[in-house]
Amino acid sequence: MVGSLRLVVCSALVIALVALAPVAFATMYAITVSTDSSSYTTGQAIKVSGTISPAPGPSTAVLLRICSVACKPATPPLAVGEASVNETTGDYNFTFVAGGSSSWTAGTYTVNATWGASPPTIFKVANFTYTVAVTTTSSSSSTSSSSSTSTSTTSSSSSSSTSSSSSSTTSSTSSSSTTSSSSSSSTSSSAVPEFPVQTSFAVILVVIVVAAYLLARRSPPRASVPKMS
């Protein structure tokens, strides 16, 4: 009787050890998750990254969910993504875009990263804050001011150009008048004949000859001397 009882106890222990062996020798995995910034605004990229260690091998992925405060099963996530895990390093990454719907309100949000096709699954969370981008009309005012400034500048430039053109025209007119006056003066002065030096000497010589001739005619005749026989 005692021997049979011992046999039953030993058999039970062997069966228990065989059943618990896969659990005892199963690989323990860990997961990390983080975002590239602690705060985002509408339209910005939310870059999520993390690691599964040790590397789980090929064909695995991490399920990523963005929820408000906590990702509860009954709470629908604002965004869902699936990031492939590198079979060698165990790294994964995924990019969301902040905002895009009325469900995104200012506050704190949670990124939940879950890995494991069947229980036990592992998960990790990371938090960030979100603010709604405010649109203002200052840009249009700036544009209007810039347009006014540009218009004023253009007007000033046009006025300056016109004034410069007028000044240039006046200067050109004055220059033309001066040139015309100089031409007239040159024409008037060139109308007076200029005698060369040879002509002046010839005139003087003629005057001297005529004067000598006149003096010769006025002088009294000499008395004739009688010839002796």
Side-chain angles (χ1 to χ4, degrees), residues 50-67:
T51 304
I52 304 294
S53 58
S59 304
T60 62
V62 174
L63 177 64
L64 298 170
R65 294 176 296 161
I66 295 181
C67 310

PDB file of all heavy atoms in Angstrom, residues 50-67:
ATOM      1  N   GLY A  50      11.369  52.013 -30.667  1.00  0.00           N
ATOM      2  CA  GLY A  50      11.591  51.163 -29.508  1.00  0.00           C
ATOM      3  C   GLY A  50      12.352  49.913 -29.900  1.00  0.00           C
ATOM      4  O   GLY A  50      12.805  49.765 -31.034  1.00  0.00           O
ATOM      5  N   THR A  51      12.473  48.977 -28.953  1.00  0.00           N
ATOM      6  CA  THR A  51      13.241  47.757 -29.168  1.00  0.00           C
ATOM      7  C   THR A  51      12.575  46.578 -28.467  1.00  0.00           C
ATOM      8  O   THR A  51      12.060  46.722 -27.346  1.00  0.00           O
ATOM      9  CB  THR A  51      14.681  47.915 -28.630  1.00  0.00           C
ATOM     10  OG1 THR A  51      15.289  49.061 -29.246  1.00  0.00           O
ATOM     11  CG2 THR A  51      15.531  46.692 -28.926  1.00  0.00           C
ATOM     12  N   ILE A  52      12.609  45.428 -29.132  1.00  0.00           N
ATOM     13  CA  ILE A  52      12.238  44.159 -28.526  1.00  0.00           C
ATOM     14  C   ILE A  52      13.539  43.413 -28.226  1.00  0.00           C
ATOM     15  O   ILE A  52      14.359  43.219 -29.114  1.00  0.00           O
ATOM     16  CB  ILE A  52      11.361  43.305 -29.467  1.00  0.00           C
ATOM     17  CG1 ILE A  52      10.110  44.081 -29.895  1.00  0.00           C
ATOM     18  CG2 ILE A  52      10.988  41.986 -28.802  1.00  0.00           C
ATOM     19  CD1 ILE A  52       9.152  44.369 -28.791  1.00  0.00           C
ATOM     20  N   SER A  53      13.715  43.031 -26.989  1.00  0.00           N
ATOM     21  CA  SER A  53      14.959  42.319 -26.629  1.00  0.00           C
ATOM     22  C   SER A  53      14.622  41.052 -25.829  1.00  0.00           C
ATOM     23  O   SER A  53      13.731  41.091 -24.961  1.00  0.00           O
ATOM     24  CB  SER A  53      15.874  43.232 -25.829  1.00  0.00           C
ATOM     25  OG  SER A  53      15.219  43.690 -24.651  1.00  0.00           O
ATOM     26  N   PRO A  54      15.320  39.966 -26.178  1.00  0.00           N
ATOM     27  CA  PRO A  54      16.246  39.819 -27.308  1.00  0.00           C
ATOM     28  C   PRO A  54      15.509  39.854 -28.638  1.00  0.00           C
ATOM     29  O   PRO A  54      14.280  39.815 -28.661  1.00  0.00           O
ATOM     30  CB  PRO A  54      16.868  38.445 -27.046  1.00  0.00           C
ATOM     31  CG  PRO A  54      15.817  37.693 -26.296  1.00  0.00           C
ATOM     32  CD  PRO A  54      15.139  38.706 -25.414  1.00  0.00           C
ATOM     33  N   ALA A  55      16.261  39.984 -29.729  1.00  0.00           N
ATOM     34  CA  ALA A  55      15.648  40.071 -31.061  1.00  0.00           C
ATOM     35  C   ALA A  55      14.766  38.848 -31.297  1.00  0.00           C
ATOM     36  O   ALA A  55      15.203  37.703 -31.128  1.00  0.00           O
ATOM     37  CB  ALA A  55      16.736  40.151 -32.131  1.00  0.00           C
ATOM     38  N   PRO A  56      13.501  39.069 -31.666  1.00  0.00           N
ATOM     39  CA  PRO A  56      12.549  37.952 -31.745  1.00  0.00           C
ATOM     40  C   PRO A  56      12.624  37.118 -33.009  1.00  0.00           C
ATOM     41  O   PRO A  56      11.922  36.114 -33.133  1.00  0.00           O
ATOM     42  CB  PRO A  56      11.201  38.660 -31.665  1.00  0.00           C
ATOM     43  CG  PRO A  56      11.454  39.987 -32.288  1.00  0.00           C
ATOM     44  CD  PRO A  56      12.858  40.358 -31.933  1.00  0.00           C
ATOM     45  N   GLY A  57      13.437  37.522 -33.993  1.00  0.00           N
ATOM     46  CA  GLY A  57      13.485  36.770 -35.244  1.00  0.00           C
ATOM     47  C   GLY A  57      12.589  37.407 -36.298  1.00  0.00           C
ATOM     48  O   GLY A  57      12.059  38.510 -36.126  1.00  0.00           O
ATOM     49  N   PRO A  58      12.374  36.708 -37.425  1.00  0.00           N
ATOM     50  CA  PRO A  58      11.631  37.303 -38.538  1.00  0.00           C
ATOM     51  C   PRO A  58      10.119  37.308 -38.327  1.00  0.00           C
ATOM     52  O   PRO A  58       9.590  36.574 -37.497  1.00  0.00           O
ATOM     53  CB  PRO A  58      12.014  36.399 -39.722  1.00  0.00           C
ATOM     54  CG  PRO A  58      12.291  35.068 -39.088  1.00  0.00           C
ATOM     55  CD  PRO A  58      12.898  35.377 -37.752  1.00  0.00           C
ATOM     56  N   SER A  59       9.483  38.176 -39.113  1.00  0.00           N
ATOM     57  CA  SER A  59       8.013  38.221 -39.233  1.00  0.00           C
ATOM     58  C   SER A  59       7.302  38.511 -37.915  1.00  0.00           C
ATOM     59  O   SER A  59       6.344  37.821 -37.530  1.00  0.00           O
ATOM     60  CB  SER A  59       7.491  36.903 -39.821  1.00  0.00           C
ATOM     61  OG  SER A  59       8.111  36.638 -41.068  1.00  0.00           O
ATOM     62  N   THR A  60       7.742  39.538 -37.212  1.00  0.00           N
ATOM     63  CA  THR A  60       7.011  39.991 -36.028  1.00  0.00           C
ATOM     64  C   THR A  60       6.786  41.495 -36.140  1.00  0.00           C
ATOM     65  O   THR A  60       7.504  42.197 -36.864  1.00  0.00           O
ATOM     66  CB  THR A  60       7.776  39.688 -34.728  1.00  0.00           C
ATOM     67  OG1 THR A  60       9.012  40.398 -34.736  1.00  0.00           O
ATOM     68  CG2 THR A  60       8.044  38.197 -34.584  1.00  0.00           C
ATOM     69  N   ALA A  61       5.792  41.981 -35.414  1.00  0.00           N
ATOM     70  CA  ALA A  61       5.457  43.401 -35.487  1.00  0.00           C
ATOM     71  C   ALA A  61       4.928  43.870 -34.140  1.00  0.00           C
ATOM     72  O   ALA A  61       4.453  43.080 -33.321  1.00  0.00           O
ATOM     73  CB  ALA A  61       4.429  43.665 -36.579  1.00  0.00           C
ATOM     74  N   VAL A  62       5.018  45.171 -33.943  1.00  0.00           N
ATOM     75  CA  VAL A  62       4.533  45.804 -32.718  1.00  0.00           C
ATOM     76  C   VAL A  62       3.273  46.595 -33.067  1.00  0.00           C
ATOM     77  O   VAL A  62       3.253  47.358 -34.034  1.00  0.00           O
ATOM     78  CB  VAL A  62       5.593  46.733 -32.107  1.00  0.00           C
ATOM     79  CG1 VAL A  62       5.023  47.495 -30.918  1.00  0.00           C
ATOM     80  CG2 VAL A  62       6.812  45.939 -31.687  1.00  0.00           C
ATOM     81  N   LEU A  63       2.228  46.397 -32.279  1.00  0.00           N
ATOM     82  CA  LEU A  63       0.983  47.142 -32.462  1.00  0.00           C
ATOM     83  C   LEU A  63       1.071  48.445 -31.674  1.00  0.00           C
ATOM     84  O   LEU A  63       1.290  48.423 -30.458  1.00  0.00           O
ATOM     85  CB  LEU A  63      -0.208  46.319 -31.983  1.00  0.00           C
ATOM     86  CG  LEU A  63      -1.576  47.013 -32.043  1.00  0.00           C
ATOM     87  CD1 LEU A  63      -1.953  47.324 -33.489  1.00  0.00           C
ATOM     88  CD2 LEU A  63      -2.649  46.177 -31.367  1.00  0.00           C
ATOM     89  N   LEU A  64       0.910  49.583 -32.361  1.00  0.00           N
ATOM     90  CA  LEU A  64       1.001  50.903 -31.731  1.00  0.00           C
ATOM     91  C   LEU A  64      -0.361  51.575 -31.755  1.00  0.00           C
ATOM     92  O   LEU A  64      -1.047  51.598 -32.786  1.00  0.00           O
ATOM     93  CB  LEU A  64       2.033  51.770 -32.473  1.00  0.00           C
ATOM     94  CG  LEU A  64       3.473  51.253 -32.475  1.00  0.00           C
ATOM     95  CD1 LEU A  64       4.324  52.073 -33.431  1.00  0.00           C
ATOM     96  CD2 LEU A  64       4.064  51.300 -31.070  1.00  0.00           C
ATOM     97  N   ARG A  65      -0.734  52.142 -30.608  1.00  0.00           N
ATOM     98  CA  ARG A  65      -2.013  52.850 -30.490  1.00  0.00           C
ATOM     99  C   ARG A  65      -1.792  54.169 -29.747  1.00  0.00           C
ATOM    100  O   ARG A  65      -1.033  54.201 -28.773  1.00  0.00           O
ATOM    101  CB  ARG A  65      -3.049  52.005 -29.750  1.00  0.00           C
ATOM    102  CG  ARG A  65      -3.475  50.742 -30.469  1.00  0.00           C
ATOM    103  CD  ARG A  65      -4.425  49.924 -29.607  1.00  0.00           C
ATOM    104  NE  ARG A  65      -3.760  49.445 -28.389  1.00  0.00           N
ATOM    105  CZ  ARG A  65      -4.420  49.023 -27.303  1.00  0.00           C
ATOM    106  NH1 ARG A  65      -5.742  49.056 -27.266  1.00  0.00           N
ATOM    107  NH2 ARG A  65      -3.746  48.593 -26.255  1.00  0.00           N
ATOM    108  N   ILE A  66      -2.450  55.228 -30.223  1.00  0.00           N
ATOM    109  CA  ILE A  66      -2.424  56.518 -29.527  1.00  0.00           C
ATOM    110  C   ILE A  66      -3.798  56.732 -28.922  1.00  0.00           C
ATOM    111  O   ILE A  66      -4.820  56.735 -29.627  1.00  0.00           O
ATOM    112  CB  ILE A  66      -2.072  57.677 -30.484  1.00  0.00           C
ATOM    113  CG1 ILE A  66      -0.639  57.509 -31.009  1.00  0.00           C
ATOM    114  CG2 ILE A  66      -2.204  59.013 -29.760  1.00  0.00           C
ATOM    115  CD1 ILE A  66      -0.195  58.623 -31.948  1.00  0.00           C
ATOM    116  N   CYS A  67      -3.817  56.913 -27.604  1.00  0.00           N
ATOM    117  CA  CYS A  67      -5.066  57.094 -26.881  1.00  0.00           C
ATOM    118  C   CYS A  67      -4.974  58.333 -26.001  1.00  0.00           C
ATOM    119  O   CYS A  67      -3.883  58.836 -25.719  1.00  0.00           O
ATOM    120  CB  CYS A  67      -5.379  55.874 -25.997  1.00  0.00           C
ATOM    121  SG  CYS A  67      -5.267  54.296 -26.861  1.00  0.00           S
TER     122      CYS A  67
END
